[in-house]
Amino acid sequence: MQPEDLNWRIKDEPGETFRVHRSIYTDEEIFELEMSHIYEGGWIYIDHETHLQKENDYITTFIGRQPVIIVRGKGDDYRGYINACSHRGAKVCRQASGNAKNFVCPYHGWVYNSSGKLLDIKDKDRGGFPEGYLDRDYDLVPVPHVQAHHGFIFASLNPNSPPLLEHLGESARFIEMFANESKDGLEVLRGRSTYTHRGNWKMQAENGVDGYHVDVVHASYFRLAAERAKLAAAAKGEDGVKAIQVNLTDTDNGNYDLGNGHVMIWTDIPNYRDRALGMQYDTLEERVGKLEAKWMAGRLRQVLIYPNLILFDGISTQLRSWNPIAVDKTEVYAVCVAPKGEPEEARERRIRQYEDFYGASGIATPDDLTEFDACQDGYNGRLAEWHDFDRGMGRLHLGADKFAEEVGITPVSSASDFADEALYHGEYRHWLETLTKGIQAEQETAHGA
Amino acid sequence: MALDAAQLKEAATELLLEEADTIDQRRWDDWLALFEEDATYYAPAWEGDDDLTSDPHQEISLIFCGNRERMWDRVWRIKSNLSSSLARMPRTCHLVTNIRVSDVSNSALKATANFRTETFKHEEKDSTAFFGRYLYDLKRTGDQLTIQNKKIIVYNDIIPRQMDIFNI
Ligand code: FES
Ligand SMILES: [Fe+2]
């Protein structure tokens, strides 16, 4: 595929229209390019440090299609290796997680240390190797970059990736804000949820910052919450969940294109004191100040850290990441994240609100997944080629609005409505740029060779 | 006259199978009525291969209903016609086997069983299944048995699109 085979699929006419050709969700060749140049060609989110606490703690996972071992070294030092033995390629580590000084390959017993260095070849002395064999480099192939920012671990298979903080750009502000909700940082709670859906991964990335679908897709959720509150009031009892409300008419709300594909939506929460963090609003405000407390506890924020993480901080608190399995299949990993050391009552509130909404066993998420699958089916209607992201285009404002200025970020663009779709322009401009550069780099390598 | 051991096992088996039928036949109110008002319904999440969570107040569960009202929430949603994931309600079929009874007292007993639930999804023209283990605390009131607690351990916990009270 050439850059010009890709370009026409994004119609970017500022002030007029922004359209995407639906083949970007269905084309196998484009999917391959995405895997090579987005997932295996740049920074992606790996995990939270909760799962890698001590030296030599490790997890095994995938970067795009490539199996990797991620190891914690001393302090905040992380490293990673392709999980494939230098001997004949067997996965060296089979466990999902653990702590190990050495990895012994289960196939023929080669031994590596946790820095990926080959320590021993079984029966080396009887090897009958050609001359110089033992001088060759048989260490595990390293992952070029593994780095954490406030406990959020990212990695890149591309040696030429920019520094992590440059990649995160303005989105780093919201990672830091989240991490600072307790003076001791965040912890991921035990209890994981993994689910799959029959839709392209980009819908997962779009949906977490889609304010437009909320009241329609989640009608059953919000109606139920209202019903529950009504019944509890009539019985003079307690509403056991105190679900978070979303109201766009009487609140401040908006969205930002944060650059590098990162985008976010935000809105003030009417019943923010029903949130776990809101229950401790006054102490929080004392520690972090008025503005920070407002953003942390009073304002729903959903931030897409491109390409595979969404920070959800509103209905409850979730880290949602994913890995594309095929052009029409995505695997999603969802965990609840919480400020360390929060009071028991708040923790319980957070958990109940989380389970109520989130996860494929929750009351809301399956409705989102159903829509992704329905879109994927719709995209097979090849005669219906395009859709636009024009909602909100008329109020798009380049640079920072007053809320962005207050919180100290300089977004590419700002807009004053949570339900806008123009924020996707940033996502897809980045997508096109990344794939185009990837194709060009491939061609340079091919010509150079 | 109080039930003897064989009759008690028969009654417990009947209750478990009736529960499965109420769900597959979508008799939701009958399903709720099998549970005590303060019953818990608990499907813990896994943390690792052999590491199942066990404290729904500190850890995330796949589903945790701390009383029958939270179970009613799920029923309300199914009946509401407001959820697109339920617009074409899947057909389900619960297979409940390996039923055993233990810890019998005058007021309570425990029952365990294995399950496999097939879910036929119309949109996908395909079915998926969850399987695992049920652990029940049953309450005895005279000859009558009701469900005090139900714990559902789902062994295949990578969820294709949806898990709810009707397909586990
Ligand atoms: S493949 Fe690992 S030792 Fe042979
Ligand atoms: Fe949603």
Side-chain angles (χ1 to χ4, degrees):
Chain A
M1 195 169 268
Q2 301 294 322
E4 55 270 27
D5 297 321
L6 215 52
N7 275 334
W8 63 269
R9 295 173 212 251
I10 306 287
K11 241 185 212 146
D12 184 356
E13 294 160 14
E16 302 282 325
T17 192
F18 191 103
R19 310 176 102 198
V20 299
H21 193 263
R22 290 174 181 163
S23 59
I24 67 168
Y25 303 93
T26 59
D27 188 294
E28 303 272 357
E29 221 180 313
I30 291 177
F31 179 75
E32 290 299 309
L33 287 173
E34 292 174 338
M35 295 313 282
S36 301
H37 303 302
I38 296 176
Y39 282 82
E40 298 171 12
W43 287 103
I44 71 156
Y45 174 70
I46 298 289
D47 203 342
H48 189 265
E49 68 174 3
T50 308
H51 298 134
L52 289 154
Q53 296 200 1
K54 305 184 300 291
E55 187 176 358
N56 292 330
D57 276 0
Y58 70 84
I59 57 158
T60 56
T61 181
F62 286 86
I63 299 181
R65 295 156 296 197
Q66 305 198 33
V68 294
I69 312 173
I70 304 291
V71 185
R72 184 158 190 171
K74 283 199 197 319
D76 266 349
D77 184 38
Y78 291 88
R79 27 179 208 267
Y81 312 97
I82 301 296
N83 190 2
C85 184
S86 304
H87 178 227
R88 281 185 21 212
K91 266 165 71 169
V92 171
C93 180
R94 312 287 166 84
Q95 299 298 322
S97 63
N99 182 282
K101 280 209 177 75
N102 295 331
F103 295 105
V104 181
C105 178
Y107 200 179
H108 310 92
W110 284 24
V111 183
Y112 303 87
N113 71 12
S114 67
S115 294
K117 195 176 160 33
L118 178 69
L119 297 183
D120 188 40
I121 292 176
K122 189 190 63 148
D123 295 342
K124 185 164 57 186
D125 302 340
R126 295 199 291 123
F129 297 116
E131 208 171 315
Y133 184 90
L134 296 173
D135 300 329
R136 293 182 207 157
D137 178 5
Y138 284 112
D139 295 345
L140 294 176
V141 172
V143 173
H145 301 284
V146 188
Q147 200 184 324
H149 188 58
H150 289 261
F152 291 76
I153 305 164
F154 295 84
S156 169
L157 291 180
N158 183 349
N160 303 320
S161 284
L164 176 62
L165 274 180
E166 191 182 319
H167 162 73
L168 293 175
E170 300 301 283
S171 77
R173 173 74 174 93
F174 295 97
I175 291 179
E176 290 152 17
M177 179 188 287
F178 207 167
N180 193 31
E181 287 184 8
S182 139
K183 63 179 182 9
D184 303 317
L186 299 173
E187 64 184 338
V188 168
L189 305 194
R190 281 168 49 82
R192 307 181 190 205
S193 164
T194 305
Y195 50 92
T196 58
H197 63 88
R198 300 178 303 119
N200 185 268
W201 68 272
K202 293 192 286 303
M203 282 185 273
Q204 194 57 250
E206 287 167 15
N207 178 260
V209 288
D210 177 350
Y212 193 39
H213 82 290
V214 176
D215 53 344
V216 180
V217 169
H218 304 304
S220 74
Y221 176 83
F222 289 108
R223 283 276 297 280
L224 171 61
E227 200 67 24
R228 197 154 55 191
K230 210 169 69 192
L231 285 178
K236 297 201 169 24
E238 265 273 281
D239 172 354
V241 180
K242 295 193 169 31
I244 296 314
Q245 295 152 20
V246 176
N247 173 355
L248 302 183
T249 41
D250 314 313
T251 56
D252 288 328
N253 58 85
N255 66 80
Y256 298 120
D257 170 1
L258 299 169
N260 291 344
H262 316 308
V263 293
M264 68 175 287
I265 53 177
W266 64 273
T267 178
D268 285 352
I269 298 171
N271 59 333
Y272 65 92
R273 286 197 182 255
D274 287 341
R275 303 189 65 211
L277 199 60
M279 291 163 78
Q280 316 145 66
Y281 198 88
D282 302 332
T283 16
L284 178 73
E285 198 176 69
E286 238 166 75
R287 184 173 66 83
V288 301
K290 265 197 158 38
L291 176 79
E292 219 52 18
K294 169 113 193 165
W295 274 93
M296 285 178 180
R299 239 162 224 175
L300 174 151
R301 284 158 283 124
Q302 299 188 175
V303 186
L304 167 67
I305 311 289
Y306 200 82
N308 75 326
L309 170 68
I310 298 175
L311 314 176
F312 287 89
D313 192 359
I315 303 249
S316 179
T317 39
Q318 186 187 48
L319 302 182
R320 186 188 300 171
S321 57
W322 55 84
N323 201 29
I325 306 295
V327 69
D328 58 356
K329 188 171 180 190
T330 307
E331 192 166 271
V332 185
Y333 317 99
V335 290
C336 180
V337 64
K340 278 186 188 162
E342 78 181 328
E344 221 168 275
E345 199 192 345
R347 181 59 63 91
E348 172 111 24
R349 175 77 55 82
R350 185 182 300 274
I351 291 173
R352 296 287 86 84
Q353 289 176 342
Y354 181 94
E355 290 161 352
D356 203 35
F357 192 95
Y358 288 126
S361 49
I363 285 180
T365 294
D367 291 322
D368 291 310
L369 302 178
T370 299
E371 295 316 313
F372 307 162
D373 292 4
C375 286
Q376 194 74 25
D377 287 346
Y379 298 157
N380 286 328
R382 297 290 155 91
L383 287 180
E385 293 181 77
W386 298 90
H387 58 246
D388 67 66
F389 292 130
D390 289 356
R391 189 185 168 81
M393 219 167 173
R395 55 177 157 245
L396 200 67
H397 168 91
L398 291 185
D401 62 7
K402 79 167 197 239
F403 297 99
E405 270 168 20
E406 256 174 35
V407 77
I409 54 162
T410 313
V412 176
S413 65
S414 312
S416 59
D417 200 304
F418 179 76
D420 283 351
E421 295 176 307
L423 79 171
Y424 297 126
H425 303 181
E427 206 176 315
Y428 284 96
R429 280 177 190 141
H430 179 76
W431 177 87
L432 185 61
E433 187 190 319
T434 307
L435 293 191
T436 305
K437 279 188 186 157
I439 296 171
Q440 285 162 349
E442 258 176 24
Q443 287 168 344
E444 276 161 31
T445 324
H447 292 142
Chain B
M1 210 185 67
L3 302 175
D4 65 26
Q7 287 169 322
L8 198 58
K9 172 152 188 196
E10 183 59 34
T13 302
E14 189 51 34
L15 176 61
L16 268 53
L17 299 186
E18 169 63 6
E19 194 209 349
D21 279 352
T22 56
I23 297 171
D24 292 339
Q25 295 161 9
R26 305 179 189 168
R27 291 187 279 119
W28 306 116
D29 296 325
D30 293 347
W31 177 66
L32 287 173
L34 302 174
F35 289 79
E36 287 293 313
E37 216 170 295
D38 60 351
T40 61
Y41 178 98
Y42 176 33
W46 292 89
E47 178 62 15
D49 294 0
D50 304 309
D51 183 2
L52 184 68
T53 60
S54 59
D55 181 356
H57 305 288
Q58 305 277 337
E59 301 170 315
I60 294 295
S61 310
L62 293 173
I63 301 178
F64 177 69
C65 304
N67 54 48
R68 201 170 62 186
E69 274 173 42
R70 295 287 75 76
M71 299 168 64
W72 174 88
D73 289 351
R74 303 249 169 188
V75 166
W76 182 91
R77 178 170 129 93
I78 292 169
K79 290 178 173 177
S80 73
N81 269 329
L82 290 169
S83 158
S84 59
S85 69
L86 303 171
R88 295 178 74 179
M89 188 67 192
R91 296 182 192 131
T92 62
C93 181
H94 285 71
L95 309 177
V96 180
T97 69
N98 304 46
I99 298 171
R100 304 180 83 178
V101 160
S102 67
D103 300 85
V104 177
S105 76
N106 286 335
S107 57
L109 65 147
K110 290 183 187 297
T112 57
N114 289 351
F115 75 92
R116 181 180 174 94
T117 306
E118 296 285 346
T119 308
F120 179 74
K121 298 172 187 166
H122 303 284
E123 303 95 321
E124 301 177 21
K125 299 189 168 81
D126 203 1
S127 58
T128 54
F130 290 113
F131 57 86
R133 187 163 174 79
Y134 292 151
L135 298 104
Y136 288 93
D137 291 318
L138 302 181
K139 182 174 170 179
R140 298 177 72 177
T141 315
D143 286 353
Q144 209 52 38
L145 296 184
T146 46
I147 303 169
Q148 185 62 60
N149 300 303
K150 181 179 185 184
K151 184 166 169 177
I152 301 142
I153 304 173
V154 179
Y155 291 163
N156 56 338
D157 64 327
I158 295 182
I159 304 171
R161 185 159 67 98
Q162 185 163 45
M163 173 189 287
D164 209 325
I165 52 102
F166 58 82
N167 63 357
I168 53 173

